[in-house]
Amino acid sequence: MLIPNLADELDLKIESLAFGGRGVARRDGFVIFVDGALPGDLVRARVTRSRRSFAEARSVELLNSSNSRIPPRCRHFDLCGGCMWQTLTYKTQLEFKQRQVTECLSRIGGLSGAESEEPLEAARRWRYRNKVEFSFADNGGGAVLGFHPPGQWRRVFNVDDCLLHSRVTNQIRNHVREFTRSSGNKVYDHDSGSGFWRHLVLREAINTGEIMVNVVTAPGRFPDRDEFISSLVSAFPQIKSLIWSVNATRASVATGFPFEVLAGRGHISEEMCGLKLKVSPDSFLQTNTLMTERLYGKMLDYASPRADEVAFDLYSGVGSITLLLAGRCRRAYGIEINGKASCLAAENARVNGLGNAFFMPGKVRTVLKKLIEENAAGGKGLAGLVVLDPPRAGASKKEIERIISLGAERLVYVSCNAATMAANAARLAEGGYRLARVGAVDMFPNTPHIEAVARFDKEGAA
Ligand SMILES: C[S@@+](CC[C@H](N)C(=O)[O-])C[C@H]1O[C@@H](n2cnc3c(N)ncnc32)[C@H](O)[C@@H]1O
């Protein structure tokens, strides 16, 4: 087998897509992952990494195009790398997502014969995000405000119209950029730690129309602050929360800092699945509102919550799933590591008049351990239904063991990473849980990200 050298240029026929979205080519059986290539393409690709068992390459020329290839719609496509699947027909995107869920479950989870249901199509293929984060930089000609090209953390390209979010939030970003360019204050410089403008975070409550603008700067005087506020709020009356956050650290992150409310409130209000939700600058909210409603609808369909049972919502965030379960069950408990999110969840329960929703801040493994130790039956009977929505890394081994100890009749797994869900599913199967249903939900069209929901039934449960 011929292992290619770094910077070699190879003509490669792309056979399939790997988990994560890169094209896969084989050369005498040797696997090469190719960025910027789709199945069916013949590309000339430059090798960027070479190992004994695989290589990585980047397409530098399209020699023959796949039948599934369509022209990119976004004007920033060449620089951005954000919606890398926009050149793939939507039908093919969905087929890959469905297949990858099935393949993960069989290859990683050992659940052969598991068939993923038809994926839930995206409600909107473009302008679906309710949150976007932009960075400021100065490439030599004054402030630019936009995204980093892939792998180039120092550079930022100006974004004029990003198709991930609404027209009005695009206009707001452009307005802020114009203001900062004429402000006299400089963009923050990572090397020297000097300068002012750092990030801009925009959040939009899709169902109520309320918008939050969060300008993140280094410490210092906000130039022409009154003019900034009045120009923005009068041009965009949808802005119900204008926030100034100050990041006094070197870390290049946009949230989690002390903030001042410049205009309106410190939060915006959203309504989802009949729930009222308060969204503050740091709170987690699924980023595609319309598809979150469909995702939660599927979760409820799989969960079939009953009025006489107790439900657990693990990794509960700001409690949306807990509240939906509380509205349908005797009691619902949310467990969440982030104390602030747990407090917000409790407030959301109050706002929605759900006195049977309770929140336990802490790690799932620690909170479950305590509950299991305090329960005479070692956890059995604490919950009839468990919903878990872990972060990308999935649930840890200990957490899965403790979830199994609860002995719930039904487990519903909401996953943003089919590979880690499949690894967890293997252990659930050993613990007596049979995969009953699974399906993908297309929360992020034009990207390789896959959201999936699965239901596991306890063997022998009535
Ligand atoms: C994918 S989010 C789920 C949010 C929520 N279910 C929703 O739909 O809005 C995962 C959540 O798990 C929390 N988390 C991460 N590790 C955790 C752990 N070990 N124990 C409890 N919560 C954890 C994160 O803070 C985050 O809020």
Side-chain angles (χ1 to χ4, degrees), residues 284 286 296 315-317 320-321 336-338 362-364 389-391 399:
F284 173 88
Q286 298 273 5
Y296 290 167
Y315 313 91
S316 50
S320 328
I321 293 178
E336 163 61 43
I337 198 171
N338 180 323
K363 285 186 184 164
V364 164
D389 183 6
E399 287 169 340

Side-chain angles (χ1 to χ4, degrees), residues 315-354:
Y315 313 91
S316 50
V318 289
S320 328
I321 293 178
T322 323
L323 300 186
L324 290 174
L325 296 175
R328 291 158 178 82
C329 294
R330 187 150 56 90
R331 279 197 305 277
Y333 294 92
I335 303 180
E336 163 61 43
I337 198 171
N338 180 323
K340 268 196 207 163
S342 268
C343 286
L344 211 64
E347 201 179 326
N348 283 332
R350 266 193 304 281
V351 170
N352 289 281
L354 289 162

Side-chain angles (χ1 to χ4, degrees), residues 14 16-24 32-39 41 57-58 69 81-88 93 96-97 100 392 446-450:
I14 308 299
S16 57
L17 281 172
F19 192 74
R22 289 182 299 178
V24 180
I32 305 174
F33 297 103
V34 188
D35 272 324
L38 301 175
D41 281 346
R58 163 160 286 283
R69 190 176 266 282
C83 303
M84 60 195 275
W85 274 14
Q86 66 182 280
T87 49
L88 192 59
Q93 293 182 30
F96 276 111
K97 291 187 184 189
Q100 291 200 335
R392 288 191 64 73
N446 306 311
T447 80
H449 295 292
I450 306 171

Side-chain angles (χ1 to χ4, degrees), residues 17 19 33 90 106 124 143 170 180 223 300 303 405 407 412 461:
L17 281 172
F19 192 74
F33 297 103
Y90 189 61
S106 62
R124 284 185 195 163
N170 271 288
T180 54
L300 286 173
S405 299
V412 175

Side-chain angles (χ1 to χ4, degrees), residues 7-8 103 152 177 233 244 246 254 318 320 337 416 421 424 456:
D8 275 358
E103 280 180 10
Q152 296 184 44
R177 177 171 50 225
V233 172
W244 174 23
V246 176
V318 289
S320 328
I337 198 171
C416 54
M421 176 177 79
N424 286 162
F456 299 86

